[in-house]
Structure formats: structure tokens, C-alpha cells
């Protein structure tokens, strides 16, 4: 809130300073510009001193209570006392605001607090009256007393009420049933009881008496509007949302805030409201809905302006007005609020601040929007200060316009407009950047639903492709025609078909700019569109943000794997909107902290935790993929990042899963995950599984069973297919005794196994093993065990014999007759190089402890050369060969190839280098 207050204070200081410079106004009579205040003061000479006293400080609910109780003690009725308090409060706010003592935050929060106070006070009194007549309303299911929940909507819901605003309310209650009437009372249904109570509450607050009114009340936002029942049970609300709830009502219910009611009932209601307002996916379809709603509002404003040409600027509904700022904030709430709880705040100002902090909107733009919003709201208040009227339009009367300008601290309307109009122009520009209909900017479509569905569609498509100088136009046209005529596409609503046709046209334009691979990219693109065709939110995103569509095309052109990954996880389209975020260097501590925060926030909701883990992992992986495809990361750097990402996810899952085990005997498990294979060697690729084992160090008698349960549940969390996909496939075959061994091992039994029972190939695997996640003290013990095992002095001949036998067995299991070279399995390939490194470590680590460091195959080759174990030049050459083979394998995986095989001549030099080293190390002929 500090940023908001700062912006408010800045503008009030500016307003007050200009005001002091005005020759026609004295500070102590600033409020004389308000006819409302003057009328109120003139009605009673004592009020001026009362106003002077009360306006020295900001008013709170405690002060409201004190003033109200004093009046009630004098025999004044509650409605009259509340109205008198309201008038005093209004006069005080006007005085404090115009004299520069109150900023916007104080004004809107004070009037909002008073609205809550008025509702609570009247409802409490009226409920007592109704209960005395009819008995308390009882729920037919729970048998508990029911209470009326009053929902504040709009600006009241956001605690940002205008000084002279009406209040938008909705009345509801939990359970149907009847009142528990005694013999002297008449029983009513709960619905009738609350309907009568609601009518009484509206009258108590809004009826105009000699003391005025407390607030005008608007009930039009309730289910079915003014034609619907005044109150609704939770069941009625839920049914309405499911069957009749309209898109614009989602926008209204974002602000819904329970002012009264039992906390348990409010929690139930919020669970009903949430799925109606927010979507679990990123809902970009809401942009079009809000755009249409805005068009209707603007059309009505224009109609009124045409009827009344003498009217001035409308600071609320006019172009660049307050409503457009609110739309800017709320559109992102509706798009993202289902997934990001920080975007569910009801305050426009806090939401704008959050959008800036999260990088969804530029911080400088947010700052200027905040300044414009504050200025517009201050102007709106000054318009209302004149006569306590609910207006947002500059009056036709020039003298009144001049008064408003003076209230704002300007010497006239012209000088006010020089500040006001640029603010509104800026708001309009930002509104257009999000809401302007992108399709209106495009040229008349050549491909549309009509000619794609025509009998001669194939000829139409070929003709269009030829205008783009498209390669393989016949093949592409045939595929496009088949896609469009498919049952899936033909079953789409007309609106979705129109969007899809426009996306196909724009996608083909982008693809036509490529020099090669146009047909393959088109196939990938159409596969992707078929996947998302039924998800209007994704069609809307690509329609609203053409630059995102262009990035999709670029990624699909570069990689078949990327195309398939995006098709499986289209929610990642959102990542394409902000290129700066897409290409940021990963901030791993921040990513880890965010993941931990969300796991704690969703504790107890396993389904949400599973989805969150997958979504955050996929989003970070997608960013790495984007950087990889644009050549901004080496294969080694990418593997390090993917391994780091996996470590963080493993750590988060361990702690989240442990909390789901009810019989756990300690808060933090003494449990660790040890990584082997690619994860252990930090050579992870996009689709790698995780080779891991589980260790524990805990003497509790229940520890083995508890940690076995933790391990099993960990695997389930990692491998379960949800709507968001999976995290990783898990392989635990490297645990002691393999498939016949226990799922988890104590650190002591692991040490005994490695020293006395492990096969040599298990020691080979240990060269690439490392602590991954969990209890760090266990990790340190593992590191010592690993070092001790690797440094065992082994008989050279037996070691060589066993290593060669294992390599021969692996090669026999992976033979092929393709005439191509298998980068991984063939002689001279990656596995040969890895076996050389493992042999050198096991052969010489008893003399050179530095060989035990888990620094990767390339660094260990160079270290072996430096130590004189192999020729240094040869070591560097084979290290470069290994780097080349990894890069070629990586590129083939990106193109979706299952087998990493290339023409022999492409790697001949690299193979020769590794084969020569193999012969030298193992004393074999090449």
C-alpha cells in the first residue's frame, strides 16, 4: 500500500500547493466551494465548530461507534443517527481533502469503512427485531442458526468507495429451512425471513428522510438482476453460476466481499464463487469479453453525450477514464487469478502494484497508471463534493466547472484540463494496447471459413499459398484441407472457426518467410492447432498477441520436440508474451523459494500441488528451451541448468510429500535422494528420466517403513499423469541389490553394500553419483562413502577385464544395421568415452583423490591428461569429440529423433580420436 499512498500524497500535495497559490480562496474556507457542506452548516450554527473538531483527525470505526452511541443515548433513532453521522463524515472528508490533510487512500478507505459500519449496525438491529417476531432462521441440514451474508460489490468490495457513490450489494444465506418460532411467533421460511430482512435493511440505509440518507443502494448485480429474488441461498447462487452466469458477471464478482456473516459460511460461499470467477487455465478469452462490454458502455456514454452536447468530460466512463484503468487491472485478474492468488485482491490500486511487481505490466507504466488513477479519482470526488451528487461528468455550468478546478488546486478549467486530458490520453493508450481489436488492423482475409469449407477448398488454398511463394504448396494444401474438414474442426463453434482460420492465415504468412522446412513447420503448426482448437482461451491468446504466434512458428520451425512439447502443454503459450522474461537467466534461489511458498500455500490440496509442480517446472524448462533454440546456451550450460531445475523440484517434492504422511515422527525427514546417471553427472537433457536411490539415517524403529512410504509416494508424485502432464520418469534400478533390493537403504547398510557386495559396474555408476536433495548430513556421509569406494586400490588386470566385459555386453545389446553411426552406443561413441573416464577413475583414484570429484566427463578427461594418466593432447581432443557428439545428439533429440544416429563421415574425425584413446587405455588394437 506504500506505493499507492505515496502516489496519492504526491497528487494531494500538488493539489494543495496550487490551491494555496489561488488568490480567491483562503485555506480555512476551502470547503466553502462545496454547496453540500454549506447547506449542512447553515442548517445548524453549532455544526461549524463540530466540523472543526472532528476534522482534525482521520475517522475510524471506533470513532463512528462513539459518535453513534452518543446520539442513540440522546434518544435519536438508529436510522436518523446514522444519517447524521454520515453527513458529519462527508463534511469532514471534504474539509480534510480540500485542505490537503487527507489523501485519496484516506478518503476512499474511510467512506468504505463507514459503509461497512452502517450495514453491520443496521443488520444487527434489524435481525434482532425479526428474530423477536419470527424466531431465528434454522438450517434444514445442520440445524444451525443462519445469518444473512451481505456482499459488497464494485468499489465497496474493493474498499475504494466514492464519497457520493451508491453501494452495490448482494444478499445471500447458506441453508434453506424455517425459523424456529415459539407459540407466540409466526414461522417463516428462511428465504422469506431473509427477504423481509433485506428489504428492511435497504430501507434503513437508503430511504430519504429529513436527515438525508446513509447510502443509495443498488441490488442489480444479484443473480438474475432486478428480476431475480432479493436474496439467494448458496444453492441458488451455485446453480445460477452453472446455468446462467454471464461473462460480464465474472468481472463483477471479482470484487465480491462479505461484509457480514459467519466465517464458516463465508468460506463456503467463496468456494462457490471462485470457480465461476477464475479459471484454472490462463483465460485470454476474457479480453474479447471485456472489450465487448466496454464497447457497450462506451456506446451508451456516446449516446448520452449526443443527447446532451453541453456536458463536459466524463472522468469515469469517458475515453481514458477510471473504468478503463479498472478494466486494465481486472482483465489480468480474470486471465491469471485462477493460477496466481496474489492477483485476487479486490483493490484496483493493489492489483496494479502487483502487476508491476510480477512484471506483467512495466513498472513505469504502472506508476503512471497509478498517478492517472489517483488524479482521476480526486477529480471525480471534487465533482461530487459540489452537491453530494453521484456524478462523474463535468457540469455544463462554467461557474461550477471553475469551482471543481479550484478544488483540484488549479486557477481555472483550462489549466486543470492541461493536466487531466494527458492523464486520460495515457490511460486510453494503455487500454488500447491490451483491448484494441487486433483483427480490425488486418487486411481483408484471403483464407476464411467460407473458402476453407468450399467444395474447391484445395484450389483456394493452393492459390493463396502461391501468392506467398510457398514451397510444396500442393502437399501443404492437402494437409490443411484435411485438417479443416476433420470432425474436430467442423464441430467447433463458428466463433472458434473464425479465429482458427485467421490464425492459420497469419501462421502461413509467417512460415512463408522461412527459406526451408516450410512443409514440416506447417505440419507441426497444424498438429498444434488441432490440439488447442477446442480451447478458446489459447486461440484468443494467439489472436490477441500476434507476436506470440510468430514465436510459436519460430520454435516449431527450429524443433519438432519443441512443437510436440508445446502441443502437450499449451498453457506455456503465456511464456511467449514477454520476451524479456523468456530470455532471463534463471534465478534459482527465487524459483526455489516460489515453489516452496506455493507448496506451503497449497498444503493439504495434493491435486493443486501436483499441478503447480508441473506447471512451474514446465514453464522454466520452456524458457531454457527458448534460449537453447536461439543459440544462447551451450549444451553443457543447458545440462547444468536442467539438472539444477531437477534438483530443486526433487527437494520440493520430498518436503511436500513428507507432510502428507500422517504418522511421520519428525518434522523434517532424515532422508536423502542420491542422483546417478545423467542427473548425477549434471548432463540432463529435456526428456531424461532420473536415476536415483534413497538413503536415510534414522534410528527410530518406524523409520524404514516411513521412509519406504515417503519414497513410494515421491515416485508417485513425480510420475503421475495429471492434466498438466508428468514431472519425470524415475528409475531406481541402481539401488543396492537392484530390483530385488529394498526401496530405501540406511546409510550404514549402503556403505557395507558398496564396500563388500557391489559389482564393479555399480562402482562405475558411483563415479557419476552425487547428493541431490534432502538431508545434507546424509549427503556428506554419502560423499565420504563414495570417495572411500572410488579410492579402493584395484587389481589393474581384473579391473580392465571387468570393464571391457561390461562394455561388450552393452554393445551386444544395442547392435543395429542401419549403416549409420550411433552417437551413443557404437564403438568410438559417447559410452566408450564414458567408460574410459570411469576406468581411469577406478584405476587411479587411490593415488589421485582429485579424480573423485564429480566434475563431468570432459573435465575428468582433461584432469587425467594433466596428471599424465593419458596424453594431454589426446585428452583435449577426445574431450572436444565428446562435446561434439553430445551436441549432435542434442540436436537430433530436438528434431524428435528417437535414435541418435548420423552419417559416419559427419563424425569420422571425432570417432578416430576416441577409438585411438580406447586402444591406448585398454591396450587393444583399433
Amino acid at each position: 500500500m506504500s506505493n499507492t499512498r505515496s502516489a496519492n500524497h504526491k497528487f494531494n500535495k500538488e493539489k494543495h500547493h496550487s490551491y494555496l497559490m489561488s488568490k480567491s480562496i483562503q485555506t480555512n474556507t476551502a470547503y466553502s466551494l462545496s454547496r453540500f457542506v454549506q447547506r449542512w452548516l447553515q442548517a445548524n450554527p453549532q455544526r461549524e465548530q463540530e466540523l472543526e473538531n472532528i476534522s482534525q483527525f482521520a475517522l475510524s470505526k471506533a470513532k463512528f461507534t462513539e459518535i453513534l452511541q452518543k446520539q442513540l443515548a440522546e434518544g435519536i433513532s438508529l436510522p436518523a443517527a446514522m444519517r447524521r453521522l454520515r453527513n458529519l463524515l462527508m463534511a469532514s472528508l471534504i474539509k480534510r481533502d480540500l485542505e490537503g490533510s487527507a489523501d485519496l487512500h484516506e478518503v476512499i478507505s474511510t467512506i468504505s469503512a463507514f459503509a461497512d459500519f452502517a450495514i453491520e449496525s443496521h443488520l444487527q438491529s434489524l435481525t434482532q427485531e425479526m428474530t423477536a417476531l419470527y424466531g431465528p432462521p434454522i438450517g434444514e441440514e445442520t440445524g444451525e442458526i443462519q445469518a444473512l451474508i451481505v456482499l459488497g460489490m464494485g468499489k465497496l468490495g474493493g474498499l475504494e468507495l466514492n464519497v457520493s457513490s451508491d453501494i452495490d450489494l448482494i444478499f445471500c444465506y447458506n441453508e434453506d429451512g424455517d425459523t424456529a418460532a415459539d407459540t407466540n411467533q409466526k414461522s417463516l421460511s428462511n428465504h422469506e425471513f431473509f427477504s423481509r430482512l433485506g428489504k428492511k435493511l435497504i430501507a434503513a440505509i437508503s430511504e430519504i428522510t429529513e436527515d438525508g440518507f446513509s447510502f443509495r443502494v443498488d441490488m442489480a448485480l444479484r443473480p438474475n438482476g432486478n428480476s431475480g429474488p432479493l436474496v439467494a441461498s448458496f444453492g441458488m447462487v451455485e446453480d445460477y453460476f452453472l446455468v446462467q452466469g454471464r461473462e460480464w458477471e465474472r468481472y463483477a464478482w471479482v470484487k465480491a466481499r462479505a461484509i457480514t456473516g459467519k466465517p464458516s459460511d463465508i468460506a463456503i460461499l467463496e468456494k462457490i464463487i471462485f470457480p465461476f470467477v477464475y479459471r484454472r487455465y490462463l483465460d485470454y478469452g476474457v479480453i474479447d469479453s471485456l472489450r465487448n462490454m466496454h464497447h457497450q458502455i462506451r456506446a451508451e456514454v456516446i449516446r448520452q453525450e449526443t443527447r446532451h452536447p453541453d456536458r463536459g468530460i466524463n472522468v469515469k466512463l469517458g475515453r481514458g477514464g477510471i473504468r478503463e484503468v479498472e478494466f486494465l487491472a481486472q482483465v489480468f485478474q480474470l486471465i491469471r487469478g485462477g493460477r496466481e492468488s496474489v492477483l485476487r485482491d479486490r483493490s484496483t490500486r493493489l492489483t496494479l502494484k502487483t502487476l508491476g511487481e510480477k512484471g506483467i505490466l512495466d513498472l513505469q507504466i504502472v506508476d503512471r497508471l497509478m498517478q492517472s488513477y489517483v488524479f482521476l479519482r480526486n477529480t471525480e470526488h471534487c465533482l461530487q463534493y459540489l452537491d453530494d451528487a453521484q456524478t462523474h461528468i463535468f457540469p455544463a455550468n462554467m461557474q461550477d466547472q471553475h469551482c471543481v478546478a479550484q478544488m483540484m488546486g488549479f486557477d481555472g478549467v483550462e489549466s486543470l484540463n492541461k493536466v487531466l486530458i494527458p492523464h486520460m490520453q495515457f490511460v486510453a493508450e494503455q487500454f488500447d494496447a491490451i483491448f484494441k481489436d487486433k483483427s480490425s488492423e488486418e487486411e481483408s482475409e484471403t483464407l476464411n471459413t467460407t473458402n476453407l469449407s468450399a467444395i474447391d477448398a484445395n484450389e483456394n488454398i493452393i492459390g493463396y499459398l502461391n501468392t506467398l511463394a510457398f514451397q510444396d504448396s500442393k502437399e501443404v494444401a492437402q494437409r490443411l484441407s484435411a485438417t479443416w474438414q476433420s470432425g474436430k474442426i467442423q464441430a467447433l463453434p463458428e466463433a472458434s472457426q473464425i479465429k482458427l482460420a485467421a490464425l492459420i492465415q497469419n501462421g502461413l504468412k509467417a512460415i512463408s518467410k522461412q527459406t526451408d522446412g516450410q512443409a514440416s513447420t506447417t505440419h507441426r503448426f497444424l498438429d498444434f492447432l488441432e490440439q488447442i482448437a477446442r480451447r478458446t482461451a489459447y486461440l484468443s491468446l494467439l489472436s490477441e498477441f500476434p507476436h506470440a504466434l510468430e514465436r510459436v512458428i519460430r520454435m516449431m520451425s527450429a524443433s519438432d520436440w519443441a512443437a510436440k512439447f508445446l502441443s502437450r502443454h499449451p498453457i506455456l503459450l503465456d511464456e511467449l508474451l514477454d520476451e524479456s522474461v523468456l530470455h532471463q537467466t534463471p534465478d534459482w534461489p527465487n524459483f526455489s523459494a516460489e515453489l516452496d511458498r506455493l507448496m506451503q500455500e497449497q498444503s493439504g490440496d495434493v491435486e493443486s500441488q501436483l499441478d503447480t509442480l508441473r506447471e512451474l517446472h514446465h514453464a522454466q524448462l520452456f524458457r531454457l528451451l527458448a534460449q537453447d533454440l536461439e543459440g544462447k546456451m551451450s549444451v553443457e550450460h543447458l545440462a547444468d541448468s536442467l539438472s539444477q531445475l531437477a534438483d530443486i523440484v526433487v527437494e520440493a517434492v520430498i518436503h511436500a510429500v513428507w507432510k502428507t504422511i500422517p504418522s511421520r515422527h519428525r518434522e523434517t525427514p532424515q532422508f536423502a535422494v542420491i542422483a546417478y546417471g545423467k542427473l548425477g553427472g549434471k548432463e540432463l537433457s529435456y526428456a531424461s528420466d532420473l536415476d536415483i536411490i534413497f538413503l536415510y539415517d534414522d534410528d527410530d524403529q518406524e523409520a524404514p517403513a516411513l521412509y519406504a512410504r515417503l519414497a513410494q509416494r515421491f515416485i508417485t508424485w513425480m510420475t503421475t499423469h495429471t492434466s498438466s502432464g508428468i514431472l519425470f520418469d524415475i528409475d531406481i534400478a541402481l539401488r543396492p541389490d537392484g530390483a530385488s533390493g529394498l526401496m530405501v537403504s540406511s546409510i550404514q547398510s549402503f556403505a557395507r553394500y558398496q564396500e563388500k557386495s557391489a559389482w564393479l559396474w555399480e562402482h562405475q555408476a558411483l563415479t557419476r553419483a552425487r547428493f541431490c536433495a534432502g538431508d545434507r548430513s546424509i549427503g556428506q556421509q554419502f560423499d565420504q562413502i563414495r570417495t572411500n569406494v572410488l579410492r579402493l586400490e584395484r587389481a589393474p588386470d581384473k579391473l580392465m577385464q571387468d570393464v571391457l566385459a561390461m562394455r561388450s555386453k552393452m554393445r551386444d545389446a544395442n547392435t543395429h544395421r542401419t549403416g549409420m553411426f550411433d552417437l551413443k552406443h557404437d564403438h568410438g561413441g559417447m559410452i566408450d568415452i564414458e567408460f574410459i573416464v570411469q576406468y581411469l577413475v577406478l584405476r587411479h583414484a587411490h593415488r589421485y583423490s582429485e579424480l573423485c570429484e564429480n566434475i563431468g566427463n570432459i573435465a575428468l578427461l582433461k584432469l587425467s591428461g594433466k596428471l599424465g594418466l593419458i596424453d594431454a593432447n589426446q585428452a583435449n581432443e577426445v574431450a572436444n569429440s565428446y562435446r561434439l557428439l553430445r551436441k549432435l545428439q542434442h540436436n537430433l533429440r530436438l528434431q524428435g529423433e528417437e535414435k541418435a544416429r548420423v552419417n559416419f563421415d559427419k563424425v569420422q574425425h571425432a570417432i578416430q580420436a576416441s577409438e585411438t584413446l580406447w586402444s591406448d587405455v585398454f591396450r587393444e588394437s583399433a
Side-chain angles (χ1 to χ4, degrees):
M1 190 65 76
S2 59
N3 285 3
T4 307
R5 286 185 173 181
S6 171
N8 296 345
H9 185 59
K10 175 182 175 183
F11 270 93
N12 278 281
K13 275 175 59 181
E14 175 187 317
K15 180 173 70 175
H16 187 45
H17 175 72
S18 300
Y19 162 75
L20 287 174
M21 299 303 292
S22 172
K23 296 178 181 178
S24 60
I25 307 173
Q26 298 299 315
T27 303
N28 62 352
T29 58
Y31 53 85
S32 64
L33 291 167
S34 167
R35 288 191 288 264
F36 162 76
V37 173
Q38 290 308 306
R39 286 194 298 269
W40 181 74
L41 290 173
Q42 289 165 8
N44 188 333
Q46 297 178 351
R47 287 177 177 173
E48 187 149 6
Q49 187 59 50
E50 185 182 10
L51 175 60
E52 189 65 32
N53 295 337
I54 205 74
S55 63
Q56 296 301 310
F57 306 99
L59 296 180
S60 64
K61 280 193 176 182
K63 193 65 177 176
F64 300 156
T65 303
E66 178 188 327
I67 297 170
L68 186 70
Q69 290 302 322
K70 184 179 178 181
Q71 294 193 54
L72 293 175
E74 294 173 359
I76 301 172
S77 68
L78 177 59
M82 194 67 73
R83 284 157 173 74
R84 294 178 187 184
L85 173 55
R86 186 262 182 189
N87 293 333
L88 175 62
L89 173 63
M90 280 288 296
S92 176
L93 284 175
I94 292 172
K95 184 175 186 295
R96 285 179 59 77
D97 186 9
L98 295 185
E99 291 181 352
S101 300
D103 60 10
L104 176 66
H105 175 73
E106 180 186 319
V107 173
I108 60 181
S109 59
T110 302
I111 197 69
S112 299
F114 177 67
D116 284 5
F117 175 76
I119 291 166
E120 291 164 352
S121 301
H122 282 299
L123 183 61
Q124 182 181 11
S125 173
L126 292 169
T127 301
Q128 290 173 354
E129 288 181 18
M130 289 284 293
T131 302
L133 289 172
Y134 306 109
I138 304 298
E140 60 187 3
E141 294 181 13
T142 63
E144 295 179 356
I145 294 176
Q146 301 298 294
L148 183 67
I149 293 179
V150 178
L151 294 175
M153 308 292 283
K155 287 187 171 67
L156 175 58
L159 295 171
E160 295 176 328
L161 203 59
N162 281 326
V163 286
S164 298
S165 176
D166 60 5
I167 52 176
D168 294 295
L169 303 179
I170 292 177
F171 300 149
C172 47
Y173 60 95
N174 187 354
E175 295 180 53
D176 283 317
D178 299 292
T179 61
D182 60 27
T183 54
N184 299 320
Q185 296 172 322
K186 177 185 176 183
S187 179
L188 297 176
S189 69
N190 288 355
H191 186 269
E192 179 62 23
F193 179 92
F194 288 124
S195 294
R196 295 186 185 187
L197 179 59
K199 289 175 183 177
K200 288 177 178 289
L201 178 61
I202 293 169
I205 294 172
S206 66
E207 279 185 355
I208 299 174
T209 70
E210 62 183 50
D211 296 299
F213 57 90
S214 293
F215 288 96
R216 307 171 190 88
V217 176
D218 190 335
M219 300 293 297
L221 291 177
R222 68 185 187 268
N224 289 306
N226 289 328
S227 63
L230 186 66
V231 297
S233 67
F234 287 3
M236 291 171 65
V237 173
E238 188 168 22
D239 288 345
Y240 179 80
F241 285 162
L242 289 171
V243 179
Q244 299 181 61
R246 291 158 291 184
E247 197 69 24
W248 69 264
E249 289 178 290
R250 290 178 58 203
Y251 173 85
W253 281 81
V254 166
K255 298 280 193 182
R257 176 176 61 87
I259 298 169
T260 68
K262 295 189 289 187
S264 57
D265 287 348
I266 293 170
I268 294 170
L269 180 60
E270 286 178 344
K271 287 182 178 178
I272 295 171
I273 295 170
F274 181 85
F276 172 67
V277 174
Y278 298 110
R279 302 290 184 258
R280 294 188 64 180
Y281 52 85
L282 292 163
D283 185 11
Y284 283 94
V286 77
I287 294 177
D288 197 39
S289 299
L290 289 183
R291 180 191 294 127
N292 292 335
M293 190 165 122
H294 180 262
H295 285 335
Q296 293 174 16
I297 294 170
R298 287 290 301 135
E300 176 60 22
V301 171
I302 292 169
R303 189 174 69 83
Q304 292 295 332
E305 289 174 347
T306 304
R307 284 185 173 185
H308 306 281
D310 55 330
R311 285 183 177 177
I313 296 170
N314 188 326
V315 295
K316 179 181 179 181
L317 302 178
R319 192 77 176 92
I322 294 165
R323 180 56 53 84
E324 291 191 357
V325 181
E326 293 170 344
F327 269 44
L328 278 168
Q330 284 189 261
V331 70
F332 289 106
Q333 289 186 290
L334 291 172
I335 289 171
R336 296 170 174 270
R339 295 163 53 81
E340 300 184 48
S341 58
V342 291
L343 285 171
R344 296 173 201 156
D345 197 279
R346 299 175 181 91
S347 163
T348 296
R349 294 165 300 148
L350 285 180
T351 299
L352 284 173
K353 182 172 178 281
T354 302
L355 292 173
E357 289 172 347
K358 293 187 68 66
I360 297 169
L361 288 178
D362 182 84
L363 275 170
Q364 290 183 327
I365 289 175
V366 168
D367 186 54
R368 287 192 63 188
L369 281 171
M370 195 79 82
Q371 292 175 22
S372 297
Y373 181 75
V374 170
F375 194 90
L376 288 165
R377 289 295 304 270
N378 280 332
T379 305
E380 181 183 40
H381 283 163
C382 289
L383 290 168
Q384 296 176 352
Y385 289 163
L386 277 174
D387 291 299
D388 186 22
Q390 187 186 0
T391 183
H392 324 282
I393 302 169
F394 268 77
N397 183 295
M398 286 301 298
Q399 186 175 352
D400 286 352
Q401 290 183 25
H402 186 71
C403 282
V404 172
Q406 286 187 300
M407 288 185 198
M408 284 295 292
F410 295 91
D411 56 12
V413 180
E414 287 187 10
S415 55
L416 169 60
N417 284 345
K418 285 179 182 178
V419 178
L420 174 63
I421 291 173
H423 275 304
M424 297 185 75
Q425 287 173 338
F426 176 74
V427 171
E429 288 168 8
Q430 299 311 309
F431 183 88
D432 285 346
I434 300 298
F435 287 99
K436 193 166 186 179
D437 191 346
K438 311 302 186 294
S439 63
S440 64
E441 301 172 0
E442 297 170 1
E443 59 197 65
S444 58
E445 296 179 351
T446 309
L447 280 184
N448 53 42
T449 55
T450 302
N451 52 38
L452 281 170
S453 302
I455 297 175
D456 57 350
N458 217 49
E459 289 76 8
N460 293 336
I461 297 169
I462 290 173
Y464 175 66
L465 293 173
N466 288 337
T467 65
L468 299 175
F470 220 91
Q471 303 162 7
D472 303 314
S473 58
K474 289 185 178 178
E475 177 191 341
V476 170
Q478 189 173 3
R479 168 61 203 276
L480 175 52
S481 182
T483 295
W484 191 262
Q485 297 299 331
S486 68
K488 181 185 286 189
I489 303 302
Q490 290 302 305
L492 293 175
E494 183 182 1
S496 294
Q497 288 189 357
I498 291 170
K499 282 184 178 176
L500 190 62
L503 287 176
I504 290 172
Q505 174 178 274
N506 293 333
L508 291 174
K509 285 179 187 175
I511 294 169
S512 71
K513 297 173 185 176
Q514 298 175 195
T515 54
D516 51 31
Q518 292 179 354
S520 60
T521 303
T522 303
H523 284 296
R524 294 167 187 171
F525 180 54
L526 292 175
D527 287 343
F528 168 70
L529 289 181
E530 286 179 355
Q531 280 295 115
I532 68 167
R534 291 194 179 115
R535 303 293 292 273
T536 56
Y538 298 137
L539 299 180
S540 296
L541 184 153
L542 294 173
S543 300
E544 298 289 350
F545 300 96
H547 63 281
L549 176 62
E550 291 173 6
R551 288 178 190 148
V552 167
I553 297 298
R554 288 204 303 271
M555 294 187 80
M556 292 185 170
S557 173
S559 168
D560 181 65
W561 188 88
K564 288 183 169 65
F565 184 72
L566 193 54
S567 295
R568 287 195 303 274
H569 309 293
I571 196 169
L572 296 171
L573 285 170
D574 179 63
E575 296 290 324
L576 297 172
L577 299 184
D578 188 343
E579 194 156 357
S580 63
V581 172
L582 197 62
H583 294 143
Q584 279 177 358
T585 301
D587 183 345
W588 295 121
N590 185 57
F591 175 80
S592 179
E594 176 69 3
L595 188 54
D596 288 342
R597 183 187 67 79
L598 289 170
M599 289 297 98
Q600 290 176 17
E601 186 180 290
Q602 298 168 350
S603 183
D605 185 351
V606 172
E607 184 179 351
S608 293
Q609 288 178 309
L610 292 178
D611 284 337
T612 294
L613 285 161
R614 283 149 179 75
E615 288 162 7
L616 263 65
H617 172 260
H618 293 155
Q620 189 60 63
L621 187 147
F622 190 64
R623 292 172 193 168
L624 295 172
L625 174 62
Q627 294 174 36
D628 177 22
L629 294 178
E630 295 192 10
K632 297 185 177 181
M633 299 184 83
S634 67
V635 174
E636 290 84 1
H637 185 197
L638 174 66
D640 285 344
S641 295
L642 290 171
S643 301
Q644 178 76 54
L645 175 59
D647 286 356
I648 291 171
V649 170
V650 170
E651 184 79 48
V653 173
I654 288 172
H655 292 294
V657 169
W658 182 246
K659 290 179 180 178
T660 69
I661 298 175
S663 56
R664 63 186 184 277
H665 61 299
R666 60 177 73 252
E667 192 59 33
T668 303
Q670 293 178 349
F671 176 90
V673 175
I674 306 299
Y676 279 75
K678 288 187 175 181
L679 179 59
K682 295 186 178 180
E683 294 181 353
L684 211 62
S685 58
Y686 292 119
S688 296
D689 58 7
L690 304 187
D691 292 296
I692 57 175
I693 67 167
F694 306 111
L695 301 178
Y696 69 90
D697 185 17
D698 193 331
D699 294 331
D700 190 281
Q701 63 179 5
E702 298 298 325
L706 286 170
Y707 293 132
R709 196 176 307 158
L710 170 58
Q712 184 59 63
R713 204 166 288 185
F714 170 89
I715 293 171
T716 300
W717 277 47
M718 297 291 271
T719 59
T720 296
H721 281 264
T722 73
S723 58
S724 301
I726 71 165
L727 279 171
F728 295 97
D729 285 320
I730 301 295
D731 190 335
I732 57 171
L734 290 172
R735 68 189 187 274
D737 290 316
S740 62
L742 296 172
M743 182 171 289
V744 297
S745 302
S746 70
I747 190 73
Q748 296 81 10
S749 66
F750 176 78
R752 287 194 299 272
Y753 178 83
Q754 289 294 334
E755 291 168 7
K756 297 180 180 180
S757 305
W759 297 84
L760 180 72
W761 65 265
E762 292 178 283
H763 288 175
Q764 285 181 251
L766 203 60
T767 64
R768 304 181 73 187
R770 64 179 177 85
F771 168 73
C772 171
D775 189 314
R776 294 193 175 277
S777 66
I778 298 176
Q780 291 169 356
Q781 293 178 69
F782 167 78
D783 287 341
Q784 189 58 57
I785 294 167
R786 175 180 175 275
T787 299
N788 293 342
V789 170
L790 295 183
R791 296 199 68 192
L792 290 172
E793 188 171 357
R794 295 168 172 83
D797 292 341
K798 180 72 165 68
L799 173 64
M800 183 182 296
Q801 180 184 341
D802 288 349
V803 170
L804 290 173
M806 176 55 66
R807 181 67 190 105
S808 177
K809 186 183 293 186
M810 289 180 66
R811 195 175 289 141
D812 291 344
N814 290 280
T815 58
H816 65 97
R817 298 179 180 178
T818 62
M820 301 181 78
F821 181 79
D822 191 304
L823 297 170
K824 184 175 180 180
H825 296 288
D826 283 353
H827 188 43
M830 292 166 63
I831 291 181
D832 273 6
I833 297 172
E834 291 165 3
F835 264 63
I836 291 170
V837 172
Q838 292 163 15
Y839 171 77
L840 290 172
V841 171
L842 297 176
R843 174 72 178 82
H844 299 289
H846 69 282
R847 287 191 295 142
Y848 302 106
S849 61
E850 54 263 58
L851 287 170
C852 295
E853 295 295 323
N854 192 331
I855 54 178
N857 290 305
I858 290 173
L860 284 169
L861 278 168
K862 292 183 177 181
L863 177 60
S864 298
K866 183 179 178 182
L867 294 172
L869 306 179
I870 56 177
D871 180 79
N873 290 331
Q874 211 174 6
N876 286 329
E877 194 173 1
V878 174
N880 290 332
S881 297
Y882 188 71
R883 183 178 285 115
L884 172 65
L885 297 177
R886 280 187 66 191
K887 185 173 183 179
L888 291 171
Q889 181 194 47
H890 178 68
N891 290 339
L892 287 168
R893 293 280 190 260
L894 282 177
Q895 294 310 317
E897 298 291 341
E898 288 186 21
K899 301 293 183 181
R901 293 171 183 163
V902 298
N903 291 326
F904 183 81
D905 56 3
K906 196 170 185 178
V907 291
Q908 185 173 3
H909 178 73
I911 295 167
Q912 286 174 349
S914 56
E915 285 179 337
T916 300
L917 182 60
W918 179 275
S919 298
D920 291 347
V921 169
F922 293 110
R923 297 192 291 276
E924 288 186 349
S925 60

